Amino acid sequence: MTFEQIQALMQQLNQSNLMEMDLEFDGGHLFLSKNTISSNKAPTTLTTQPVAHTNSQEPQPKDSDRLKATETTTPKDTTQVIKAPLVGIIYLQPAPDQAPYKKVGDPVAVGDVVCVVEAMKMMTEVKSPISGVISDILVSNEEVVEYDQPLLKVQPKTVARKD
C-alpha cells in the first residue's frame, strides 16, 4: 500500500460516519481511528536505554532502593476513576438542551448518576461508587466508549478524624 493510498483512506474516513477502520492487506495491517482516546488495538512500543558501565567500586543503589526513594518523594495520588460498565455511546447530559449531569468541580455522592451509556437502544445509568469532587472528565459527549474505559476522575472526600 502506498503513502497516497493511505492518505486517501484517511480522507475517506474523516468524511464518513465511521469512527475506526481496521484493514489487513498483503504485507501489512492498518488501523485508523477518529477517537480522541487511543484504543487498546494500538501497538505499544518498548524502548530500551543503554546501561553505562563504570569501573568504580562504589556500590550502586538497588532498584528496590530507587523505588522506595521515589515512593516517599512523590505525593500519593488519591484520585479514583469511574469506568464504563459496558461498550456503547456515552451521554454526559440527559438531553442535548439540558445541563450535564456533572462538571469538573461538582460534588458527587455515592449513587449519583454521572452519565449514561447507550448500547443497543438501552440506556444504562452510570452511578458513582464513591463520594468526592469531579476532578476530570476523560471523555466527550456522544463518544464511543469501551468496557472498563476510564470516564471520570473523582477526588475522594476526605473525612476529618476526631482525636
Side-chain angles (χ1 to χ4, degrees):
M1 181 170 271
T2 66
F3 182 70
E4 289 78 20
Q5 290 173 323
I6 293 172
Q7 281 185 321
L9 283 173
M10 289 172 59
Q11 286 178 341
Q12 290 174 358
L13 178 66
N14 281 337
Q15 293 170 356
S16 73
N17 291 334
L18 294 174
M19 293 301 291
E20 294 180 349
M21 182 187 320
D22 197 359
L23 181 64
E24 290 194 35
F25 53 92
D26 291 337
H29 178 254
L30 183 65
F31 178 75
L32 301 173
S33 175
K34 292 195 283 188
N35 293 330
T36 56
I37 295 179
S38 65
S39 172
N40 290 340
K41 293 181 182 180
T44 57
T45 57
L46 298 176
T47 58
T48 58
Q49 297 178 352
V51 177
H53 295 286
T54 60
N55 293 334
S56 67
Q57 295 296 329
E58 295 177 18
Q60 297 294 322
K62 294 184 227 173
D63 287 338
S64 61
D65 293 339
R66 289 185 203 151
L67 182 61
K68 288 178 187 173
T70 57
E71 285 177 357
T72 57
T73 58
T74 306
K76 189 173 182 181
D77 184 20
T78 58
T79 304
Q80 295 187 12
V81 177
I82 299 175
K83 297 182 178 182
L86 68 156
V87 176
I89 299 173
I90 189 164
Y91 295 100
L92 299 175
Q93 55 198 52
D97 59 341
Q98 293 182 349
Y101 288 104
K102 296 291 178 184
K103 299 178 295 208
V104 174
D106 284 354
V108 64
V110 174
D112 283 358
V113 176
V114 294
C115 59
V116 173
V117 177
E118 175 189 1
M120 299 183 350
K121 303 295 180 194
M122 296 290 294
M123 299 295 198
T124 302
E125 291 181 336
V126 178
K127 297 180 180 181
S128 176
I130 54 175
S131 293
V133 176
I134 302 290
S135 61
D136 198 6
I137 299 175
L138 305 172
V139 293
S140 56
N141 196 38
E142 297 182 10
E143 179 180 325
V144 176
V145 294
E146 299 292 325
Y147 169 74
D148 218 26
Q149 178 179 338
L151 304 174
L152 299 109
K153 286 186 178 181
V154 176
Q155 184 66 41
K157 185 185 295 185
T158 54
V159 178
R161 295 178 64 190
K162 295 180 182 179
D163 292 326

